[in-house]
Amino acid sequence: MAKETDMSLFNDVLEPFRRVINTDPPKDKLSASSKLNFSETNQSLKEGLSNLLSNKRKSTLGSSELLTPEKRSRIEPSSNKITAPPSPWEAKRLKIDLIAAKAQITKLEARVNHQHTIRKEMQILFEEEKASLIDQHKRDERALSDMEERLQVIRKREQELKDEHSEALKEFQESKSKWEKDKADFQKQIADLKDKLLESNVSSKDQISEMKKDMDELLQALEGAQSEVEMLKKEVAKQTSRAEQCTSLRTQLEKQTFELQQVTNKLKELEYERDSYKDWQQQAKTAQKRLSNMAELEKEVIRLRASERCLRDAVCNKLLLEEQVHLLTSRVEALQPVQQELHEAKVKMASLESSLEEWKNAARAHGVDSARALSSVLESALSNQLTAVAGHSEAQSQMAQLTEEIATVKYERDKVTTKLNDLQAVRKNQESLIHRLQKRLLLVTRERDSYRQQLDCYEKELSVTLCGESGAGSAALLSSRVEQLEKALQGYRDLLAAHDQEAHAKTVEGLRAEASRWREEAETARREVNKLRAQRDQLQAHLERLAAPHAHLTKVLHLTDNPAAAAHKEMQVDLETAQEEIKRLKAALREGGTAVCPEEMQQLRQQLENSRIKLKRMKEEFTSSAQEYRDVVYMLLGYKIDRTGHKNYRLSNMYAESAEEYLTFTLCDDGIEMVHTEYSASLSELVELHLHHHRSIPVFLSALTMELFTRTTIQQEVQ
Amino acid sequence: MSQQQTKNCITLRGSAQIICEYLKFAINSVLFQRGLYPPETFKAEQQYGITLLISEDPLIKSFLTNLLTQSEEWIVNKKVTKLSLVIINVANKEVLECWDFNVQYEDGDVALSKEKNETVGSKELKKIQQEIRDVMLQVAATISYLPFLDCRCSFDVLVHAKPHCDIPEKWAEAEPISISNAQNVQLKTFSTSLHKMETVVSYKLAD
């Protein structure tokens, strides 16, 4: 790596020289190197180079040094060869020659080495150059290929553009030709139209002339007709005269017919008279017959009278019987309720008997047979009940009494328990008191003992002092006394310590602790109060600052044309305009709705009228078109389709034999269905084939049409 | 050391200018945040290191320039104690919101003032701007708790000046305002070391 960096540096240094070398032909360099020995300039160059080389490439120089021992080795054998003793001059000469030769050899070797290094450098330089040139070459090639690609792309684009251009041109030409064609067509059309116009003109002229001719003919005909009319008038006059004759004839005929009628009437009357005469004759005959039967009739009358008498008697008898019947019916009526009562009584009796039986059974069950025994038993039972009731009431009263007593007892018990409690409390107190008293008693006894001791002591003292007043004795006495006193004191102390100290110390400590605690609390509370007070003051100040904006200290100023004022003004203006508008509208409303804008009303009315007309026209158009449509359907498909109701359609065929032959269809959610009719029942074959098998209504209808058509045509043929 | 002091020197006039600039941006910000004017009439502007919105309405612009030039004069002369931006319901002239900008006067750097022979402060401009930025951010955040203004509103700026102050042309005395059932929120304060600005918003608490 180091070597490479060295090489790069070396290259950098050599850069200027390389230029020189590149410009100079290599032959010069060689010649220069050959001249190196003799020319000083070349020497200097060589020196410069060697200097440069010595900086970086000592290794190469080292190699030249390595060559010297070889030379020495070569020299050594030559020196060894000179075994024969040469002459001193010769030897000297030879030595000189040798030295010169050696010098030359070293020089030449140095040159050779130098040449080698130069060559190597050159080679390196050339290789680098070559590499760079190759790189450049590659780059150039790449650039070339890129350029070629671009060129191709451009060519392609050009080609595309050309194609587009040609296409556009083609299109343009096509469109041009089309337009020209269109133009020619139009011109042709125009020419045709012109021809037509001319033709029509001509034809109209012809028509006009024809019409004129017709008119002339008609005028002639008119004249002919007028002459005919005159002729006919004459004939009419003739006919009227003949008609008059006819009327006179008719009157004569009428008279004759009247007479004829009269005659016929008379004839009829006569016939009637004749008939009545015949009747009279018959009556007379029957009367004669009756007269002959008279005697028989008389006999019969007698018989009838007898029978009449008999009948009268029978009538009398019947009246009597009727009276009797009447009497009997009244009696029956009177007896009927009695009978009913009887029945009821019987029923009652039966029921009573059954009940009696029951009673008896019941009595028997209780071991009583007679009614008296029963009553006695009942009485005894009642008395028993009475006694029981009395006992019950007594018991109840007793119970009440007892409950009362219980309550009182309870109350007393409660009282007693409370008393007991009180007493227990008292006892406890007493006990504690006793305890205390015992303690005190103990104390007192101890005190008493101590006093007693003291007394003893005093007594002793007294006795001692009384006995003798020796100094030593008094001193001993005093000391003993002191001791005793001290003991007593100790005893007191112990006592005190034993009894009070504990509790006292405890209480004292407790109190102290409490006091300190309270003190601390008070301290903290005070601190808190101070803090809160400060806070309050602060807040108050703040509040004052915020709430009361120093009304007395400051003057509130503002710009007269501030946005609020502007907005308020705007608002008022808006309000006024709105109010004005309201007033205006109200006034307009009061005047009446029509007076608001008559123009608009007029316009609206016109519009309404227009729309109505439009609607009417559309209706007409619709009905006519519907009719047309129906007609077309009928003519094309052979069926007249009528809508008989909601989703119901009646189809009648063109070739149907009668108006009753029609089919009914209903529109369902999933298609259309045929409804059963009398006529459809007669077409079961077609229905089976086309509707059930093919499932196609159109095919069925066409088949029906075909069938009807063939039938009608056959009929016609038959006719 | 003396170099440093002259560098951070804020004169009374300069302080007043800072205050007025703050007022301009604060008022515009409130107008934008409270939706008194349509948002499309506002233009974004970089100030105090944040983006603030300034009204493009020529009427508002002229009103604010008139107001603030006069206010600056008054602040320099220590005649103003408070500026109130009141938001008024146009229909019934009821005050719905009040933004109080309390101005307090401070002594500044006493030693430097003596040296300079005029009242000056020595607070760094950067620090002042940072404080102002904090207040502006708080103003922007107020929208989260201020009640919704659902009526046609307009605004006015009332200047609470000292009583002996002269009333210039185009100015008039106004009625002191009060908000019933008001709720006060104190925002951060900032100081230029000559003026202390306290921002308080009072709004009508919804019933």
Side-chain angles (χ1 to χ4, degrees):
Chain A
M1 276 301 283
K3 216 172 178 184
E4 274 174 23
T5 51
D6 288 351
M7 283 296 286
S8 64
L9 276 167
F10 177 65
N11 284 339
D12 290 343
V13 175
L14 273 178
E15 190 63 39
F17 296 103
R18 195 191 285 160
R19 267 181 230 145
V20 174
I21 290 157
N22 283 344
T23 49
D24 292 340
K27 211 173 88 183
D28 288 2
K29 214 162 61 182
L30 282 168
S31 65
S33 59
S34 63
K35 282 177 204 164
L36 211 81
N37 253 338
F38 316 104
S39 71
E40 288 215 358
T41 52
N42 284 348
Q43 186 70 34
S44 70
L45 184 89
K46 184 201 132 190
E47 270 171 13
L49 275 170
S50 66
N51 281 342
L52 286 163
L53 285 168
S54 68
N55 283 338
K56 305 293 165 189
R57 303 198 66 177
K58 270 180 183 165
S59 59
T60 51
L61 282 172
S63 68
S64 67
E65 277 169 2
L66 279 169
L67 284 167
T68 45
E70 194 185 308
K71 177 187 73 190
R72 235 173 257 151
S73 67
R74 214 187 286 169
I75 291 157
E76 274 161 15
S78 64
S79 61
N80 290 339
K81 266 182 210 170
I82 310 161
T83 46
S87 68
W89 181 82
E90 240 176 337
K92 219 177 193 181
R93 181 81 190 265
L94 276 169
K95 268 179 190 172
I96 290 161
D97 280 355
L98 196 66
I99 291 159
K102 269 181 193 172
Q104 207 167 359
I105 283 160
T106 50
K107 262 185 196 173
L108 283 168
E109 271 173 357
R111 260 176 70 187
V112 165
N113 283 334
H114 188 64
Q115 293 294 340
H116 273 297
T117 54
I118 285 170
R119 195 180 60 83
K120 272 177 193 167
E121 278 163 19
M122 293 309 287
Q123 219 168 348
I124 289 156
L125 283 174
F126 282 136
E127 267 168 14
E128 276 168 5
E129 194 82 1
K130 204 175 130 192
S132 70
L133 279 168
I134 283 160
D135 280 353
Q136 206 165 354
H137 178 67
K138 275 180 188 168
R139 244 181 285 148
D140 287 350
E141 270 183 350
R142 228 177 289 152
L144 211 69
S145 63
D146 286 350
M147 294 303 277
E148 272 174 0
E149 272 173 24
R150 273 195 79 182
L151 197 69
Q152 274 178 345
V153 169
I154 286 160
R155 268 182 197 156
K156 259 187 209 169
R157 219 185 283 167
E158 199 189 337
Q159 193 61 37
E160 279 169 14
L161 283 167
K162 268 182 188 171
D163 289 351
E164 272 176 34
H165 179 66
S166 62
E167 269 175 33
L169 273 174
K170 258 188 214 168
E171 266 179 38
F172 171 69
Q173 278 176 349
E174 273 173 23
S175 57
K176 201 181 172 184
S177 60
K178 214 197 282 176
W179 284 333
E180 276 176 358
K181 230 186 263 175
D182 285 355
K183 200 176 143 192
D185 285 349
F186 284 134
Q187 276 176 348
K188 257 188 208 170
Q189 276 182 6
I190 288 161
D192 286 352
L193 285 167
K194 272 182 184 169
D195 289 352
K196 271 185 194 171
L197 192 72
L198 281 172
E199 273 175 27
S200 62
N201 273 342
V202 169
S203 63
S204 64
K205 271 179 190 170
D206 288 352
Q207 275 179 353
I208 287 162
S209 61
E210 272 174 25
M211 280 162 89
K212 271 180 185 170
K213 269 181 198 170
D214 285 352
M215 222 164 94
D216 289 345
E217 277 172 20
L218 283 166
L219 280 171
Q220 278 175 0
L222 192 72
E223 277 171 13
Q226 273 176 352
S227 62
E228 229 169 275
V229 162
E230 276 171 15
M231 269 167 62
L232 283 167
K233 271 180 184 171
K234 276 175 195 171
E235 215 161 299
V236 163
K238 269 186 206 170
Q239 293 291 341
T240 46
S241 63
R242 273 173 79 182
E244 276 170 11
Q245 281 176 356
C246 278
T247 47
S248 64
L249 279 171
R250 200 191 275 172
T251 49
Q252 275 178 358
L253 189 75
E254 278 173 359
K255 270 179 193 171
Q256 278 174 357
T257 51
F258 185 68
E259 276 170 15
L260 188 74
Q261 273 182 348
Q262 273 180 340
V263 169
T264 50
N265 282 344
K266 268 182 184 173
L267 200 78
K268 275 179 187 172
E269 274 173 17
L270 284 169
E271 274 179 359
Y272 180 71
E273 274 176 19
R274 201 188 66 188
D275 287 343
S276 62
Y277 180 68
K278 275 179 186 173
D279 284 349
W280 279 113
Q281 273 180 338
Q282 271 183 347
Q283 274 182 354
K285 272 179 190 173
T286 52
Q288 274 176 347
K289 272 182 190 172
R290 275 179 193 170
L291 279 172
S292 63
N293 290 337
M294 195 66 190
E296 285 174 22
L297 282 168
E298 274 175 356
K299 273 183 201 169
E300 213 176 333
V301 163
I302 292 159
R303 196 166 43 88
L304 284 166
R305 270 177 193 159
S307 67
E308 197 205 342
R309 224 172 278 153
C310 274
L311 282 168
R312 270 182 191 158
D313 289 346
V315 163
C316 279
N317 286 340
K318 198 205 94 179
L319 279 170
L320 271 171
L321 284 166
E322 267 180 0
E323 266 183 16
Q324 275 178 354
V325 164
H326 186 70
L327 268 171
L328 284 167
T329 48
S330 64
R331 275 172 73 183
V332 164
E333 275 170 9
L335 281 168
Q336 261 174 348
V338 172
Q339 206 175 358
Q340 220 163 346
E341 270 175 34
L342 188 76
H343 277 294
E344 277 170 16
K346 269 181 186 170
V347 168
K348 250 186 198 174
M349 209 166 76
S351 65
L352 283 168
E353 268 176 358
S354 66
S355 65
L356 187 71
E357 199 64 34
E358 274 172 25
W359 279 111
K360 269 181 183 170
N361 284 334
R364 243 174 251 148
H366 284 285
V368 182
D369 289 331
S370 62
R372 274 185 197 166
L374 184 73
S375 63
S376 67
V377 164
L378 278 172
E379 269 174 17
S380 66
L382 275 170
S383 62
N384 278 344
Q385 212 170 2
L386 278 170
T387 51
V389 164
H392 177 71
S393 59
E394 217 175 305
Q396 266 187 340
S397 62
Q398 268 179 355
M399 200 178 78
Q401 226 174 330
L402 283 168
T403 47
E404 217 172 293
E405 270 172 27
I406 284 164
T408 50
V409 165
K410 267 185 187 168
Y411 177 65
E412 270 172 26
R413 194 198 66 188
D414 287 346
K415 249 201 251 175
V416 166
T417 47
T418 48
K419 238 181 214 179
L420 190 73
N421 284 338
D422 287 345
L423 283 170
Q424 271 177 343
V426 167
R427 203 197 69 185
K428 271 183 188 170
N429 279 344
Q430 299 284 8
E431 273 177 354
S432 64
L433 268 174
I434 285 162
H435 192 69
R436 237 182 281 163
L437 281 168
Q438 274 175 343
K439 269 190 183 172
R440 197 156 286 175
L441 195 70
L442 205 71
L443 277 173
V444 166
T445 47
R446 290 238 182 121
E447 216 174 359
R448 192 199 60 192
D449 288 348
S450 69
Y451 280 131
R452 210 173 268 170
Q453 263 180 339
Q454 232 168 334
L455 270 176
D456 288 346
C457 200
Y458 280 122
E459 269 173 14
K460 270 183 193 171
E461 206 180 326
L462 269 176
S463 61
V464 167
T465 47
L466 283 173
C467 281
E469 293 180 316
S470 57
S474 68
L477 196 88
L478 272 171
S479 65
S480 68
R481 226 183 96 188
V482 163
E483 263 178 35
Q484 255 179 339
L485 279 170
E486 274 176 352
K487 255 188 209 167
L489 193 68
Q490 194 60 41
Y492 273 125
R493 270 181 191 158
D494 288 351
L495 224 157
L496 262 173
H499 288 279
D500 288 344
Q501 203 132 9
E502 279 176 36
H504 188 69
K506 258 185 208 169
T507 50
V508 163
E509 260 175 44
L511 281 167
R512 258 185 208 149
E514 217 171 322
S516 63
R517 198 151 50 77
W518 284 120
R519 239 171 248 152
E520 268 173 34
E521 245 168 67
E523 197 66 33
T524 50
R526 221 171 279 153
R527 250 181 272 148
E528 235 166 81
V529 162
N530 279 338
K531 216 196 287 177
L532 285 169
R533 218 172 257 165
Q535 213 170 340
R536 190 200 64 188
D537 289 345
Q538 210 180 330
L539 283 169
Q540 252 176 355
H542 188 70
L543 205 70
E544 271 168 20
R545 210 143 38 78
L546 288 174
H550 314 295
H552 53 289
L553 289 174
T554 58
K555 198 153 68 171
V556 183
L557 297 170
H558 69 150
L559 276 167
T560 44
D561 54 344
N562 56 63
H568 191 70
K569 258 186 209 167
E570 205 180 307
M571 170 96 177
Q572 266 183 338
V573 168
D574 282 357
L575 201 74
E576 272 169 25
T577 51
Q579 270 171 347
E580 268 176 31
E581 201 171 346
I582 286 165
K583 268 183 199 167
R584 200 162 50 74
L585 287 169
K586 268 186 186 166
L589 206 68
R590 236 173 277 136
E591 275 172 32
T594 52
V596 178
C597 42
E599 283 172 24
E600 206 179 335
M601 279 297 288
Q602 197 64 33
Q603 216 175 335
L604 283 168
R605 265 186 197 157
Q606 213 163 354
Q607 219 172 324
L608 189 72
E609 197 63 34
N610 282 348
S611 56
R612 260 186 205 153
I613 288 163
K614 216 176 178 180
L615 195 72
K616 206 173 152 190
R617 274 183 196 158
M618 277 171 84
K619 266 186 190 167
E620 279 169 12
E621 179 66 29
F622 175 72
T623 46
S624 66
S625 61
Q627 190 56 45
E628 188 188 311
Y629 178 75
R630 276 159 58 79
D631 289 349
V632 165
V633 167
Y634 183 62
M635 283 189 280
L636 290 175
L637 303 176
Y639 281 99
K640 196 164 97 181
I641 302 169
D642 296 306
R643 192 167 185 264
T644 53
H646 183 65
K647 289 185 175 180
N648 285 326
Y649 294 91
R650 191 167 69 191
L651 270 77
S652 35
N653 200 292
M654 193 188 261
Y655 305 110
E657 282 156 9
S658 67
E660 274 82 51
E661 291 185 356
Y662 60 81
L663 296 165
T664 313
F665 290 90
T666 43
L667 197 65
C668 302
D669 295 334
D670 50 349
I672 198 157
E673 273 181 11
M674 196 170 82
V675 178
H676 191 80
T677 57
E678 275 178 40
Y679 183 57
S680 74
S682 68
L683 301 167
S684 59
E685 218 173 287
L686 284 170
V687 168
E688 183 60 39
L689 179 65
H690 297 298
L691 291 186
H692 294 164
H693 189 245
H694 292 153
R695 292 190 180 282
S696 172
I697 292 165
V699 170
F700 165 70
L701 293 175
S702 356
L704 182 63
T705 310
M706 280 303 292
E707 198 184 317
L708 289 171
F709 179 70
T710 48
R711 215 183 282 169
T712 47
T713 45
I714 285 162
Q715 276 178 358
Q716 278 171 2
E717 275 166 23
V718 167
Q719 279 173 358
Chain B
M1 197 59 198
S2 62
Q3 199 100 41
Q4 192 75 26
Q5 276 179 341
T6 49
K7 208 177 175 183
N8 281 336
C9 175
I10 293 169
T11 59
L12 204 58
R13 173 69 65 180
S15 173
Q17 276 172 0
I18 289 168
I19 294 291
C20 285
E21 196 180 43
Y22 161 73
L23 285 172
K24 179 184 151 197
F25 282 107
I27 289 166
N28 270 304
S29 194
V30 168
L31 294 183
F32 174 74
Q33 299 288 351
R34 306 300 290 131
L36 261 71
Y37 293 92
E40 59 266 20
T41 61
F42 287 83
K43 185 183 76 180
E45 210 168 280
Q46 280 288 328
Q47 185 75 15
Y48 310 123
I50 48 171
T51 309
L52 294 167
L53 288 133
I54 294 293
S55 179
E56 291 273 81
D57 193 326
L59 288 171
I60 299 171
K61 267 179 152 174
S62 72
F63 171 74
L64 285 177
T65 35
N66 282 342
L67 172 85
L68 293 171
T69 43
Q70 185 59 53
S71 299
E72 192 186 315
E73 213 55 48
W74 275 330
I75 288 167
V76 169
N77 295 325
K78 300 191 180 181
K79 282 187 174 166
V80 176
T81 56
K82 185 163 88 173
L83 284 105
S84 306
L85 164 63
V86 287
I87 294 171
I88 303 165
N89 182 354
V90 178
N92 53 11
K93 284 196 162 185
E94 190 190 10
V95 179
L96 298 173
E97 224 170 276
C98 177
W99 291 76
D100 287 335
F101 302 100
N102 295 326
V103 185
Q104 286 167 36
Y105 301 96
E106 291 177 327
D107 293 333
D109 199 328
V110 181
L112 196 64
S113 301
K114 266 183 188 169
E115 196 182 297
K116 288 263 171 185
N117 219 359
E118 64 173 326
T119 336
V120 289
S122 61
K123 198 167 178 176
E124 274 183 55
L125 191 65
K126 218 173 195 178
K127 203 172 175 194
I128 296 166
Q129 286 195 340
Q130 201 172 345
E131 284 178 358
I132 294 175
R133 185 176 64 202
D134 291 346
V135 182
M136 293 310 295
L137 288 173
Q138 268 197 322
V139 168
T142 52
I143 195 161
S144 59
Y145 57 82
L146 286 176
F148 179 62
L149 301 171
D150 55 352
C151 52
R152 194 170 153 189
C153 294
S154 189
F155 77 102
D156 191 6
V157 179
L158 305 177
V159 179
H160 296 257
K162 294 270 163 65
H164 54 77
C165 175
D166 295 324
I167 301 172
E169 211 182 327
K170 288 189 187 173
W171 286 74
E173 271 196 70
E175 290 290 313
I177 55 103
S178 65
I179 302 174
S180 55
N181 195 14
Q183 191 78 15
N184 296 314
V185 177
Q186 167 125 32
L187 305 183
K188 282 179 182 169
T189 58
F190 75 91
S191 164
T192 64
S193 78
L194 288 173
H195 296 108
K196 189 175 170 193
M197 174 58 76
E198 197 179 52
T199 311
V200 181
V201 56
S202 326
Y203 58 94
K204 193 182 172 189
L205 197 67
D207 303 317

